[in-house]
Amino acid sequence: MNANTSSSMGGEYSNTLKSETERFYECQAKFYEDLICTNNAVMSVRVLGSYGRGDARLDSDLDVWVTARDDTPFNELYELWRQDLDKREQYQLDHGDALPAITRHGPSVFRDKESAAYLAGFLHRVMFPGELGEHILMHRVDQPELPVSYSNDDTLADMAIMLSDFLGNYWREVERGDIKLQKKWLARLHREVTYHTLGVRLRHDTDIFEDGTDEAAIVQKADELLSSLTQLAVPNLIQERRIIQSCLWTLEKVRWELFGCVEDTERWDRWRTGERTHLGFTPQEIGKLLRDCQQYLGESAPSVKRIGGLLVEAANPQDTQTHSRIPELHDELSKVLYEIITTLASNVRVRSSEPQTSVWPTLDSESRFIYRTGTKGAEHYLQTEIAAYEILDKQRIHFIETDDEGVIGVSVYAVEGVPMMRSGQPINIARYLATITDNHAHIGEYFGRLGAPMQFTAYEEYLIYMTNSLSSPIRRFAQGIIKEFGEALESEIPVLCHMDAGQHNVIESDNVYTLVDYEHATYCSPLWDIERAAVDLDESSRDAFLSEYYGTHLEHDPGAIFATRVAIAARLAHIPRYTQYAIKTLRSFGYGESL
C-alpha cells in the first residue's frame, strides 16, 4: 500500500451512534486509502471536524480535504469531488439515509500549494487541531505535505480573528433563538479559550459541557481574551489575515459551486446571475472581494483584468454560451486568489503589474451594472470613460466613486445583449460601421485622450506621441513613416473615437449594435477607429468593411490611411495576442529591410 494513515477515531459514542458513524467512516477510509494508492494526482486526504475528532453524531456532516498535485487540471479536480460524493450518496441509499448530513456538501479539493496556504491561513481552525491529533491524515508515503510557514504574530492575529468570529456567530444564534447552534459555538469558544489559557485541550463536546460550566462565564472569558489579543496583535495583520481567509473561503466554496454547475446548466444559470446564493459566493460578490483586494494592495495587487472580464461575461443573463467557460473561469480565479494570498502573506510588497482597469459585474433589485475600477496610476482611464459618456449619454452613468485622491470607480448601466463576437450571427457590415461612425459626429478642438492634459493640434504630432513608448526599431520605423506622410495627415480632423472598437467591445441585441468600454476614448482621426476595428475581422469581412467605409469617405488621403495602419500595427506588436499579426503587417510595409 502506498498510503500512510495517522491519528484515529477516538470519541466516546453510545453503541448505536458508534456503530453507524464508524461503519460509514470505515467505508470512506477504505475509499480514501484506495484513492491515494491508485490515483497519482492525489497526495493526501485529511478528515476534519467531528469525524476527525471522533465525536461524529448522526446529524454530523463529513469535512474532508483531498489534496492533489499542483498541476492537476480542473476536470481531474472535479472527478475527485464527484467520486467522493458518489460514495457518500451510495452509502445513504444502502443504509436508508441513516446519516442525512454526509452529502450536505462534497469534499474540499485543493492543489498542493493551496492546501498549504489554507493551513497557514487558518492556524487555530485547521493547522493546530491537526497537530493535536484532531484530524485523520492519509498521505502518500513518498510525498510529504508542503511545509507551512507562520510567525508568532500570525498566531496571535489568527486567534483573535477566530474568537471574534465565534463570538459573532454565538450572538447571532442568540438573536435567532437557536439553542442547538448556541451550544455549538459555546463549545468551540470553551475549547479554544481553555486550551489557550490553561493548555488543556477539551476535544469532545461531551467533555466541554459535563462540568456544568456557566455559559455567561465562557462568553466573558472569550471577550477578555479577545481584547488582550487585539492589543497584542501587529497593526494591520488582523485585517490582512481576514482578507487571506476570505480569499481561501472563496477558493474553496466557489470551487464547490463550479463543480456542481458542471453537471447542471440550470444551476449554473442561477448562480451566475445571482439568483442562487446558497454558498454566498456569486460572481458579483467575488468581484466585490477582488476589488477590495485590489484597492488594499495597490500597486502590489496582481492583475485582475482578465478575471473581471470573465465574471462580467458569466454574469450576463443573455449570454447563453458561458457554461463551456467554467474551467477557464475556475483556473483564472484560482490563480488570482492564490497570488493575492501569497502577496498578503509576504513581508515584501513589489509592484506586480502596470496600471490598469478592471470591470466587475454588479446588480441591484432592478438593474445590472458594470463597475470599472483602476489601480494607482490608471485613474485617467476612469476619467476618460466619464468624459465619453458625458458627451454620448449621461444617463448611462450609474454612479462615480471617489476618494481624497480622485475617481476610483465608475458604475454604468449594463447594455443588454451579448458581445458581437459570440452572438453567433454574421456581422452586418453596414450596421457595424454606422455604430462606430455615429461617434464621429462629435468634433473636437484637439487630438488627444478625453480629459487628459496632453493635447495636440495636428494628427501627425499625436501619432508621434502614440508611438514614443515603443521599442527602438519599431518606433524608428513607424515614426519615419508618420513623418514621411506628414502632409497627407494634415487634412485629418479630430472627432470622438472609441479607439478600440473591435467586436469584443460591441454588444448585440435584436440586431442593434452598441459600443461599450470607453476608457480609451480620444479625439482622433476617424481613420484610427476604422483601421483598428478592421484588425479584429477575418480577411473577407475586413475587405468588405474597409471597402464599405472608404467607398463613401473619399476625404481621406491614401498616405494618411497608410501612416495610421503603420502606427496601429506598431502599437499592437507589443500585445502578445496581436504580435504575430502586427509584425507580419509591418514587414509587408518594409519593416526590417534596413535592420
Side-chain angles (χ1 to χ4, degrees), residues 74 78 81 250-264 267-268 271-272 276 279 281 283 286 307 311 314 322-323 325-334:
F74 171 80
Y78 163 73
W81 175 83
T250 301
L251 177 68
E252 178 183 20
K253 302 304 189 290
V254 173
R255 188 168 284 167
W256 276 352
E257 192 67 73
L258 294 181
F259 287 161
C261 289
V262 165
E263 52 201 35
D264 187 343
R267 174 174 172 173
W268 165 250
W271 175 76
R272 71 190 183 90
R276 175 184 166 84
L279 295 175
F281 296 90
I286 296 169
I307 185 59
L311 289 170
T322 57
H323 185 263
R325 306 191 73 178
I326 288 177
E328 183 181 3
L329 174 64
H330 166 273
D331 290 346
E332 185 65 19
L333 179 61
S334 300

CSV table of all heavy atoms in Angstrom, one decimal, residues 74 78 81 250-264 267-268 271-272 276 279 281 283 286 307 311 314 322-323 325-334:
chain,number,residue,atom,x,y,z
A,74,PHE,N,-8.5,21.2,-14.0
A,74,PHE,CA,-9.9,21.3,-13.5
A,74,PHE,C,-10.7,20.1,-13.6
A,74,PHE,O,-11.3,19.6,-12.6
A,74,PHE,CB,-10.6,22.5,-14.2
A,74,PHE,CG,-12.0,22.6,-13.8
A,74,PHE,CD1,-12.4,23.2,-12.6
A,74,PHE,CD2,-13.0,22.1,-14.6
A,74,PHE,CE1,-13.8,23.3,-12.3
A,74,PHE,CE2,-14.4,22.1,-14.3
A,74,PHE,CZ,-14.7,22.8,-13.1
A,78,TYR,N,-12.5,18.0,-10.5
A,78,TYR,CA,-13.9,17.8,-10.5
A,78,TYR,C,-14.2,16.3,-10.3
A,78,TYR,O,-15.1,15.9,-9.5
A,78,TYR,CB,-14.5,18.3,-11.8
A,78,TYR,CG,-15.9,17.7,-12.1
A,78,TYR,CD1,-17.0,18.1,-11.3
A,78,TYR,CD2,-16.1,16.7,-13.0
A,78,TYR,CE1,-18.3,17.5,-11.5
A,78,TYR,CE2,-17.3,16.1,-13.2
A,78,TYR,CZ,-18.4,16.5,-12.5
A,78,TYR,OH,-19.6,16.0,-12.7
A,81,TRP,N,-13.9,15.2,-6.7
A,81,TRP,CA,-15.0,15.7,-5.9
A,81,TRP,C,-16.2,14.8,-6.2
A,81,TRP,O,-16.9,14.3,-5.3
A,81,TRP,CB,-15.3,17.1,-6.3
A,81,TRP,CG,-16.6,17.7,-5.7
A,81,TRP,CD1,-16.7,18.2,-4.5
A,81,TRP,CD2,-17.9,17.8,-6.4
A,81,TRP,NE1,-18.0,18.7,-4.3
A,81,TRP,CE2,-18.7,18.4,-5.5
A,81,TRP,CE3,-18.4,17.4,-7.6
A,81,TRP,CZ2,-20.1,18.7,-5.7
A,81,TRP,CZ3,-19.7,17.7,-7.9
A,81,TRP,CH2,-20.5,18.3,-7.0
A,250,THR,N,-13.4,31.7,-0.5
A,250,THR,CA,-13.9,31.9,-1.8
A,250,THR,C,-13.3,30.8,-2.8
A,250,THR,O,-14.1,30.2,-3.6
A,250,THR,CB,-13.5,33.3,-2.4
A,250,THR,OG1,-14.1,34.3,-1.5
A,250,THR,CG2,-14.0,33.5,-3.8
A,251,LEU,N,-12.0,30.5,-2.6
A,251,LEU,CA,-11.4,29.5,-3.4
A,251,LEU,C,-12.1,28.1,-3.2
A,251,LEU,O,-12.5,27.4,-4.1
A,251,LEU,CB,-9.9,29.4,-3.1
A,251,LEU,CG,-9.1,28.3,-3.8
A,251,LEU,CD1,-9.0,28.5,-5.2
A,251,LEU,CD2,-7.7,28.1,-3.1
A,252,GLU,N,-12.4,27.8,-1.9
A,252,GLU,CA,-13.0,26.5,-1.6
A,252,GLU,C,-14.4,26.5,-2.0
A,252,GLU,O,-14.9,25.5,-2.7
A,252,GLU,CB,-12.9,26.3,-0.1
A,252,GLU,CG,-13.5,25.1,0.4
A,252,GLU,CD,-13.4,24.9,1.9
A,252,GLU,OE1,-13.3,26.0,2.6
A,252,GLU,OE2,-13.6,23.8,2.4
A,253,LYS,N,-15.2,27.5,-1.6
A,253,LYS,CA,-16.7,27.4,-1.8
A,253,LYS,C,-17.0,27.6,-3.3
A,253,LYS,O,-18.0,27.0,-3.8
A,253,LYS,CB,-17.4,28.5,-1.0
A,253,LYS,CG,-17.1,28.3,0.5
A,253,LYS,CD,-17.5,26.9,1.0
A,253,LYS,CE,-17.5,26.9,2.6
A,253,LYS,NZ,-16.1,26.9,3.1
A,254,VAL,N,-16.3,28.5,-4.0
A,254,VAL,CA,-16.7,28.7,-5.4
A,254,VAL,C,-16.3,27.4,-6.2
A,254,VAL,O,-17.0,27.1,-7.2
A,254,VAL,CB,-16.0,29.9,-6.0
A,254,VAL,CG1,-16.1,30.0,-7.5
A,254,VAL,CG2,-16.5,31.2,-5.3
A,255,ARG,N,-15.2,26.8,-5.8
A,255,ARG,CA,-14.9,25.5,-6.5
A,255,ARG,C,-16.0,24.5,-6.3
A,255,ARG,O,-16.4,23.8,-7.2
A,255,ARG,CB,-13.5,25.0,-6.0
A,255,ARG,CG,-13.0,23.8,-6.7
A,255,ARG,CD,-11.5,23.5,-6.3
A,255,ARG,NE,-10.6,24.5,-6.9
A,255,ARG,CZ,-9.3,24.6,-6.5
A,255,ARG,NH1,-8.8,23.9,-5.5
A,255,ARG,NH2,-8.6,25.5,-7.2
A,256,TRP,N,-16.5,24.4,-5.1
A,256,TRP,CA,-17.7,23.5,-4.9
A,256,TRP,C,-18.8,23.9,-5.8
A,256,TRP,O,-19.4,23.0,-6.5
A,256,TRP,CB,-18.2,23.7,-3.5
A,256,TRP,CG,-17.6,22.9,-2.4
A,256,TRP,CD1,-16.6,21.9,-2.5
A,256,TRP,CD2,-17.8,23.0,-1.0
A,256,TRP,NE1,-16.3,21.4,-1.3
A,256,TRP,CE2,-16.9,22.1,-0.3
A,256,TRP,CE3,-18.6,23.9,-0.2
A,256,TRP,CZ2,-16.9,22.0,1.0
A,256,TRP,CZ3,-18.6,23.7,1.2
A,256,TRP,CH2,-17.7,22.8,1.8
A,257,GLU,N,-19.1,25.2,-5.9
A,257,GLU,CA,-20.2,25.7,-6.7
A,257,GLU,C,-20.0,25.3,-8.2
A,257,GLU,O,-20.9,24.8,-8.9
A,257,GLU,CB,-20.4,27.2,-6.5
A,257,GLU,CG,-21.7,27.7,-7.1
A,257,GLU,CD,-22.9,27.2,-6.4
A,257,GLU,OE1,-23.2,27.6,-5.3
A,257,GLU,OE2,-23.6,26.4,-7.0
A,258,LEU,N,-18.8,25.6,-8.7
A,258,LEU,CA,-18.5,25.3,-10.1
A,258,LEU,C,-18.5,23.8,-10.4
A,258,LEU,O,-18.9,23.4,-11.5
A,258,LEU,CB,-17.1,25.9,-10.5
A,258,LEU,CG,-17.0,27.4,-10.4
A,258,LEU,CD1,-15.6,27.9,-10.8
A,258,LEU,CD2,-18.1,28.1,-11.3
A,259,PHE,N,-18.1,23.0,-9.5
A,259,PHE,CA,-18.2,21.5,-9.7
A,259,PHE,C,-19.6,21.1,-9.8
A,259,PHE,O,-20.0,20.4,-10.7
A,259,PHE,CB,-17.6,20.8,-8.5
A,259,PHE,CG,-16.1,20.8,-8.3
A,259,PHE,CD1,-15.5,20.5,-7.1
A,259,PHE,CD2,-15.3,21.1,-9.4
A,259,PHE,CE1,-14.1,20.5,-7.0
A,259,PHE,CE2,-13.9,21.1,-9.3
A,259,PHE,CZ,-13.3,20.8,-8.1
A,260,GLY,N,-20.5,21.7,-9.0
A,260,GLY,CA,-21.9,21.4,-9.1
A,260,GLY,C,-22.5,21.9,-10.4
A,260,GLY,O,-23.4,21.3,-11.0
A,261,CYS,N,-22.0,23.0,-10.9
A,261,CYS,CA,-22.5,23.6,-12.1
A,261,CYS,C,-22.1,22.9,-13.4
A,261,CYS,O,-22.7,23.0,-14.4
A,261,CYS,CB,-22.1,25.1,-12.2
A,261,CYS,SG,-22.8,26.2,-11.0
A,262,VAL,N,-21.0,22.1,-13.3
A,262,VAL,CA,-20.5,21.4,-14.4
A,262,VAL,C,-21.6,20.4,-14.9
A,262,VAL,O,-21.8,20.3,-16.2
A,262,VAL,CB,-19.2,20.6,-14.1
A,262,VAL,CG1,-18.9,19.5,-15.1
A,262,VAL,CG2,-18.0,21.5,-13.9
A,263,GLU,N,-22.3,19.8,-14.0
A,263,GLU,CA,-23.3,18.8,-14.4
A,263,GLU,C,-24.7,19.3,-14.4
A,263,GLU,O,-25.7,18.6,-14.5
A,263,GLU,CB,-23.2,17.6,-13.4
A,263,GLU,CG,-23.2,18.0,-12.0
A,263,GLU,CD,-22.6,17.0,-11.0
A,263,GLU,OE1,-21.6,16.3,-11.4
A,263,GLU,OE2,-23.1,16.8,-9.9
A,264,ASP,N,-24.9,20.6,-14.2
A,264,ASP,CA,-26.3,21.2,-14.1
A,264,ASP,C,-26.3,22.6,-14.7
A,264,ASP,O,-25.9,23.6,-14.0
A,264,ASP,CB,-26.7,21.2,-12.6
A,264,ASP,CG,-28.1,21.6,-12.4
A,264,ASP,OD1,-28.7,22.2,-13.4
A,264,ASP,OD2,-28.7,21.4,-11.3
A,267,ARG,N,-28.4,25.1,-12.8
A,267,ARG,CA,-27.8,25.6,-11.6
A,267,ARG,C,-26.7,26.7,-11.9
A,267,ARG,O,-26.6,27.7,-11.3
A,267,ARG,CB,-27.1,24.5,-10.8
A,267,ARG,CG,-26.3,24.9,-9.6
A,267,ARG,CD,-25.8,23.7,-8.9
A,267,ARG,NE,-24.8,24.0,-7.8
A,267,ARG,CZ,-24.3,23.2,-6.9
A,267,ARG,NH1,-24.7,21.9,-6.9
A,267,ARG,NH2,-23.4,23.6,-6.0
A,268,TRP,N,-26.0,26.5,-13.0
A,268,TRP,CA,-25.0,27.5,-13.5
A,268,TRP,C,-25.7,28.8,-13.8
A,268,TRP,O,-25.2,29.9,-13.4
A,268,TRP,CB,-24.3,26.9,-14.7
A,268,TRP,CG,-23.5,27.9,-15.5
A,268,TRP,CD1,-23.9,28.4,-16.8
A,268,TRP,CD2,-22.3,28.6,-15.1
A,268,TRP,NE1,-22.9,29.3,-17.2
A,268,TRP,CE2,-22.0,29.5,-16.2
A,268,TRP,CE3,-21.5,28.6,-14.0
A,268,TRP,CZ2,-20.8,30.3,-16.2
A,268,TRP,CZ3,-20.4,29.4,-14.0
A,268,TRP,CH2,-20.1,30.2,-15.1
A,271,TRP,N,-26.7,30.5,-10.6
A,271,TRP,CA,-25.6,31.0,-9.8
A,271,TRP,C,-25.0,32.2,-10.5
A,271,TRP,O,-24.7,33.3,-9.8
A,271,TRP,CB,-24.5,29.9,-9.7
A,271,TRP,CG,-23.3,30.4,-9.0
A,271,TRP,CD1,-23.1,30.7,-7.7
A,271,TRP,CD2,-22.0,30.8,-9.6
A,271,TRP,NE1,-21.8,31.2,-7.4
A,271,TRP,CE2,-21.2,31.3,-8.6
A,271,TRP,CE3,-21.6,30.9,-10.9
A,271,TRP,CZ2,-19.9,31.8,-8.9
A,271,TRP,CZ3,-20.3,31.3,-11.2
A,271,TRP,CH2,-19.5,31.7,-10.2
A,272,ARG,N,-24.7,32.2,-11.8
A,272,ARG,CA,-24.0,33.3,-12.4
A,272,ARG,C,-24.8,34.6,-12.5
A,272,ARG,O,-24.2,35.7,-12.5
A,272,ARG,CB,-23.6,32.9,-13.8
A,272,ARG,CG,-24.7,32.7,-14.9
A,272,ARG,CD,-24.3,32.1,-16.1
A,272,ARG,NE,-25.3,32.0,-17.2
A,272,ARG,CZ,-25.5,32.9,-18.1
A,272,ARG,NH1,-24.8,34.0,-18.1
A,272,ARG,NH2,-26.5,32.7,-19.0
A,276,ARG,N,-29.0,32.2,-7.4
A,276,ARG,CA,-28.6,31.1,-6.5
A,276,ARG,C,-27.5,31.7,-5.6
A,276,ARG,O,-26.4,32.0,-6.0
A,276,ARG,CB,-28.1,29.9,-7.2
A,276,ARG,CG,-27.6,28.8,-6.2
A,276,ARG,CD,-27.0,27.6,-7.0
A,276,ARG,NE,-26.2,26.8,-6.1
A,276,ARG,CZ,-26.7,25.8,-5.3
A,276,ARG,NH1,-28.0,25.6,-5.3
A,276,ARG,NH2,-25.9,25.1,-4.5
A,279,LEU,N,-24.3,29.3,-1.3
A,279,LEU,CA,-23.0,29.3,-0.7
A,279,LEU,C,-22.5,30.7,-0.4
A,279,LEU,O,-21.4,30.9,0.2
A,279,LEU,CB,-21.9,28.5,-1.5
A,279,LEU,CG,-22.2,27.0,-1.6
A,279,LEU,CD1,-21.2,26.4,-2.5
A,279,LEU,CD2,-22.2,26.3,-0.3
A,281,PHE,N,-21.4,33.0,-2.6
A,281,PHE,CA,-20.3,33.5,-3.4
A,281,PHE,C,-20.7,33.6,-4.9
A,281,PHE,O,-20.4,32.7,-5.7
A,281,PHE,CB,-19.0,32.6,-3.3
A,281,PHE,CG,-18.4,32.5,-1.9
A,281,PHE,CD1,-18.9,31.6,-1.0
A,281,PHE,CD2,-17.5,33.4,-1.5
A,281,PHE,CE1,-18.3,31.5,0.3
A,281,PHE,CE2,-16.9,33.4,-0.2
A,281,PHE,CZ,-17.4,32.4,0.7
A,283,PRO,N,-20.9,35.7,-8.7
A,283,PRO,CA,-19.9,36.5,-9.4
A,283,PRO,C,-19.9,37.9,-8.9
A,283,PRO,O,-18.8,38.5,-8.9
A,283,PRO,CB,-20.5,36.4,-10.9
A,283,PRO,CG,-21.2,35.1,-10.9
A,283,PRO,CD,-21.8,34.9,-9.6
A,286,ILE,N,-17.9,37.8,-5.6
A,286,ILE,CA,-16.4,37.6,-5.9
A,286,ILE,C,-15.8,38.8,-6.4
A,286,ILE,O,-14.7,39.2,-6.0
A,286,ILE,CB,-16.3,36.5,-7.0
A,286,ILE,CG1,-16.8,35.1,-6.5
A,286,ILE,CG2,-14.8,36.3,-7.4
A,286,ILE,CD1,-17.0,34.1,-7.5
A,307,ILE,N,-9.8,38.2,-15.0
A,307,ILE,CA,-10.9,37.5,-14.2
A,307,ILE,C,-12.1,38.4,-14.1
A,307,ILE,O,-13.2,38.0,-14.1
A,307,ILE,CB,-10.4,37.1,-12.8
A,307,ILE,CG1,-11.5,36.3,-12.0
A,307,ILE,CG2,-9.9,38.3,-12.0
A,307,ILE,CD1,-11.9,35.1,-12.7
A,311,LEU,N,-15.9,37.3,-15.2
A,311,LEU,CA,-17.0,37.4,-14.3
A,311,LEU,C,-18.1,38.2,-14.9
A,311,LEU,O,-19.3,37.9,-14.8
A,311,LEU,CB,-16.6,38.1,-13.0
A,311,LEU,CG,-15.7,37.2,-12.1
A,311,LEU,CD1,-15.2,38.0,-10.9
A,311,LEU,CD2,-16.5,36.0,-11.5
A,314,ALA,N,-19.7,36.0,-17.5
A,314,ALA,CA,-20.5,34.9,-16.8
A,314,ALA,C,-21.8,35.5,-16.3
A,314,ALA,O,-22.9,34.8,-16.3
A,314,ALA,CB,-19.7,34.3,-15.7
A,322,THR,N,-21.9,30.6,-21.9
A,322,THR,CA,-20.9,30.7,-20.9
A,322,THR,C,-20.6,29.4,-20.2
A,322,THR,O,-19.5,29.3,-19.5
A,322,THR,CB,-21.3,31.8,-19.8
A,322,THR,OG1,-22.6,31.4,-19.3
A,322,THR,CG2,-21.5,33.2,-20.5
A,323,HIS,N,-21.5,28.4,-20.2
A,323,HIS,CA,-21.3,27.2,-19.4
A,323,HIS,C,-20.0,26.5,-19.8
A,323,HIS,O,-19.3,26.0,-18.9
A,323,HIS,CB,-22.5,26.3,-19.6
A,323,HIS,CG,-22.4,25.0,-18.8
A,323,HIS,ND1,-21.9,23.8,-19.3
A,323,HIS,CD2,-22.7,24.8,-17.5
A,323,HIS,CE1,-22.0,22.9,-18.3
A,323,HIS,NE2,-22.5,23.5,-17.2
A,325,ARG,N,-17.3,27.8,-20.4
A,325,ARG,CA,-16.1,28.5,-19.9
A,325,ARG,C,-15.9,28.3,-18.4
A,325,ARG,O,-15.0,29.0,-17.9
A,325,ARG,CB,-16.2,30.0,-20.3
A,325,ARG,CG,-16.5,30.2,-21.8
A,325,ARG,CD,-16.4,31.7,-22.1
A,325,ARG,NE,-15.0,32.1,-22.2
A,325,ARG,CZ,-14.6,33.4,-22.5
A,325,ARG,NH1,-15.5,34.2,-22.8
A,325,ARG,NH2,-13.4,33.7,-22.5
A,326,ILE,N,-16.6,27.4,-17.8
A,326,ILE,CA,-16.4,27.2,-16.4
A,326,ILE,C,-14.9,26.8,-16.1
A,326,ILE,O,-14.4,27.4,-15.1
A,326,ILE,CB,-17.3,26.0,-15.9
A,326,ILE,CG1,-18.8,26.6,-15.8
A,326,ILE,CG2,-16.9,25.5,-14.5
A,326,ILE,CD1,-19.8,25.5,-15.4
A,327,PRO,N,-14.3,25.9,-16.8
A,327,PRO,CA,-12.9,25.6,-16.5
A,327,PRO,C,-12.0,26.9,-16.6
A,327,PRO,O,-11.1,27.0,-15.7
A,327,PRO,CB,-12.5,24.6,-17.5
A,327,PRO,CG,-13.7,23.9,-17.9
A,327,PRO,CD,-14.8,25.0,-17.8
A,328,GLU,N,-12.2,27.7,-17.6
A,328,GLU,CA,-11.4,28.9,-17.7
A,328,GLU,C,-11.6,29.9,-16.6
A,328,GLU,O,-10.7,30.4,-16.0
A,328,GLU,CB,-11.7,29.6,-19.1
A,328,GLU,CG,-10.9,30.8,-19.4
A,328,GLU,CD,-11.3,31.5,-20.7
A,328,GLU,OE1,-12.2,31.0,-21.3
A,328,GLU,OE2,-10.6,32.5,-21.0
A,329,LEU,N,-12.9,30.0,-16.2
A,329,LEU,CA,-13.2,30.9,-15.0
A,329,LEU,C,-12.6,30.4,-13.8
A,329,LEU,O,-12.0,31.1,-13.0
A,329,LEU,CB,-14.7,31.0,-14.9
A,329,LEU,CG,-15.2,31.8,-13.7
A,329,LEU,CD1,-14.8,33.2,-13.7
A,329,LEU,CD2,-16.7,31.6,-13.5
A,330,HIS,N,-12.7,29.1,-13.6
A,330,HIS,CA,-12.1,28.4,-12.4
A,330,HIS,C,-10.6,28.6,-12.3
A,330,HIS,O,-10.0,29.0,-11.3
A,330,HIS,CB,-12.4,26.9,-12.4
A,330,HIS,CG,-11.6,26.1,-11.4
A,330,HIS,ND1,-10.3,25.6,-11.8
A,330,HIS,CD2,-11.8,25.8,-10.1
A,330,HIS,CE1,-9.9,25.0,-10.7
A,330,HIS,NE2,-10.7,25.0,-9.7
A,331,ASP,N,-9.9,28.4,-13.4
A,331,ASP,CA,-8.4,28.4,-13.4
A,331,ASP,C,-7.9,29.8,-13.2
A,331,ASP,O,-7.0,30.1,-12.4
A,331,ASP,CB,-7.9,27.9,-14.7
A,331,ASP,CG,-8.0,26.4,-14.8
A,331,ASP,OD1,-8.4,25.7,-13.8
A,331,ASP,OD2,-7.9,25.8,-15.9
A,332,GLU,N,-8.6,30.8,-13.8
A,332,GLU,CA,-8.1,32.2,-13.6
A,332,GLU,C,-8.4,32.7,-12.2
A,332,GLU,O,-7.6,33.4,-11.6
A,332,GLU,CB,-8.8,33.1,-14.7
A,332,GLU,CG,-8.3,34.6,-14.7
A,332,GLU,CD,-6.9,34.7,-15.1
A,332,GLU,OE1,-6.3,33.8,-15.7
A,332,GLU,OE2,-6.3,35.8,-14.8
A,333,LEU,N,-9.6,32.4,-11.7
A,333,LEU,CA,-9.9,32.8,-10.3
A,333,LEU,C,-9.0,32.1,-9.3
A,333,LEU,O,-8.5,32.8,-8.4
A,333,LEU,CB,-11.4,32.4,-10.0
A,333,LEU,CG,-11.9,32.8,-8.6
A,333,LEU,CD1,-11.8,34.3,-8.4
A,333,LEU,CD2,-13.3,32.3,-8.4
A,334,SER,N,-8.7,30.8,-9.5
A,334,SER,CA,-7.8,30.2,-8.6
A,334,SER,C,-6.4,30.8,-8.6
A,334,SER,O,-5.8,31.0,-7.5
A,334,SER,CB,-7.7,28.7,-9.0
A,334,SER,OG,-9.0,28.0,-8.9
